[in-house]
Amino acid sequence: SEINEMVRGCKHQGQLFQAALNEEEVKLYRNMLKRVQGILDLAQELGVRVMIDAEWTDIQPAIDHITIFMQRIYNRGDLPIVFNTYQTYLKGMPTRVQRDLDRSRREDWRFGAKLVRGAYMVSERKKAKKRGLESPICETYEKTEENFHKAIDVILAHGEDPSAGACGGAAAEVLVASHNRYSIERTLQKMAALGVSQDRVGFGQLMGMADHLTYTLARYGYRSYKYVPYGPVDEVVPYLIRRTQENSAILGSPSVQEERQMVGSELLRRLRPI
């Protein structure tokens, strides 16, 4: 890009100069964009949504940049094809969500988001401490939960605006990715209070976790999804460990105890002689 070329021409080779892409990296970047656009072209043809995942803070700005670029292209039809992921264990995340909601309305494209609590809590805190910086992670689980709920609320409140463009004036869509029963029930209550239709909101849980929530949501007509991680063992196992860390604060909660009891009861039922 012109900005990258301008930065590469700086006489003082400081941090900004070092962050600029060289010719090989620009080539790789453009090839990646082509592959992403190939996926999104097919998604648009099939009418399905693509949720671009979030990563650690060192590379997240680049992911956000690419995702918003793609949303400007693919979220101008009848539905938002590209969803960005917002990690609410990061301080100030509800403000960032509101910023992108405003951006979508101003630029006339449909907003779609996946909300998660976050996956790199331990490593992010270690990096910040090593660098002598303030941790970007909320200090407590309660603050993370507050962020999570605030982000849900601002998206649900982003309804149709006839005065805006055809796409920018559309109501926002969100996937609530959570195994927390209270957060899901709270979302349903907020939807009812605001009159939000079921087709604007989805719910997702990992395969094998909180199945009783997923199946109950599906039974009552809500869009519910099971997330199935797959890939090489050395990549999938660390991913699942991060999910455990993410949910460690609620492992002793009443909802988790209830799920354990249900699993235990089902095991006993299957083991009993007929």
Side-chain angles (χ1 to χ4, degrees):
S1 69
E2 293 181 3
I3 294 177
N4 190 73
E5 291 178 7
M6 181 178 66
V7 172
R8 293 294 298 176
C10 291
K11 294 181 179 180
H12 176 64
Q13 298 185 7
Q15 292 183 353
L16 182 60
F17 175 87
Q18 294 171 6
L21 303 180
N22 58 36
E23 291 183 6
E24 178 63 22
E25 289 169 334
V26 169
K27 181 179 179 181
L28 292 171
Y29 173 73
R30 288 173 176 165
N31 288 339
M32 179 198 66
L33 289 182
K34 289 180 181 178
R35 291 194 293 271
V36 172
Q37 287 182 296
I39 293 171
L40 297 179
D41 285 341
L42 179 59
Q44 190 172 54
E45 180 184 336
L46 298 175
V48 299
R49 298 162 176 82
V50 175
M51 299 182 184
I52 298 179
D53 213 351
E55 297 296 338
W56 56 95
T57 53
D58 285 352
I59 65 172
Q60 188 58 44
I63 296 173
D64 289 338
H65 172 76
I66 294 168
T67 304
I68 290 173
F69 177 76
M70 296 300 174
Q71 287 177 317
R72 288 173 175 144
I73 298 173
Y74 293 95
N75 288 13
R76 295 184 184 273
D78 295 333
L79 76 160
I81 299 295
V82 183
F83 279 50
N84 202 2
T85 299
Y86 297 87
Q87 300 184 99
T88 60
Y89 71 170
L90 294 172
K91 297 173 182 176
M93 187 52 70
T95 302
R96 300 186 203 180
V97 172
Q98 185 63 63
R99 175 200 64 193
D100 288 345
L101 284 164
D102 295 340
R103 188 203 309 266
S104 70
R105 186 141 285 174
R106 185 173 63 250
E107 297 179 353
D108 194 24
W109 46 269
R110 294 176 184 269
F111 181 90
K114 180 176 75 170
L115 294 181
V116 300
R117 282 178 167 80
Y120 298 95
M121 181 173 62
V122 175
S123 59
E124 292 285 9
R125 284 174 172 163
K126 284 182 178 179
K127 281 191 298 185
K129 184 177 180 180
K130 183 178 180 180
R131 296 169 180 174
L133 301 173
E134 177 186 351
S135 172
I137 307 299
C138 292
E139 302 302 331
T140 64
Y141 177 82
E142 289 72 23
K143 184 60 180 176
T144 295
E145 185 168 78
E146 180 183 340
N147 270 1
F148 189 67
H149 294 157
K150 281 183 178 179
I152 292 172
D153 291 350
V154 297
I155 294 176
L156 294 182
H158 193 84
E160 293 185 0
D161 182 359
S163 66
C167 295
E173 292 192 17
V174 62
L175 179 84
V176 179
S178 176
H179 304 98
N180 187 308
R181 177 176 173 177
Y182 170 72
S183 292
I184 292 173
E185 290 178 345
R186 184 187 180 282
T187 301
L188 297 177
Q189 291 167 4
K190 194 72 176 180
M191 289 172 63
L194 296 174
V196 174
S197 63
Q198 293 185 8
D199 60 356
R200 283 184 54 196
V201 184
F203 299 89
Q205 293 85 36
L206 277 166
M207 179 69 77
M209 293 182 66
D211 289 345
H212 62 297
L213 297 178
T214 315
Y215 299 150
T216 302
L217 287 165
R219 179 181 179 185
Y220 286 94
Y222 292 95
R223 286 165 43 196
S224 55
Y225 301 88
K226 273 303 184 189
Y227 185 46
V228 184
Y230 69 96
V233 173
D234 59 343
E235 294 181 12
V236 173
V237 171
Y239 172 87
L240 293 174
I241 290 174
R242 291 197 298 272
R243 296 284 81 72
T244 303
Q245 291 171 340
E246 178 184 353
N247 291 283
S248 61
I250 63 169
L251 290 180
S253 67
S255 61
V256 173
Q257 296 300 325
E258 179 186 18
E259 184 172 2
R260 287 175 177 170
Q261 290 175 1
M262 287 190 289
V263 171
S265 298
E266 180 62 17
L267 284 172
L268 288 175
R269 186 189 71 80
R270 296 187 183 191
L271 292 172
R272 286 195 192 103
I274 297 176

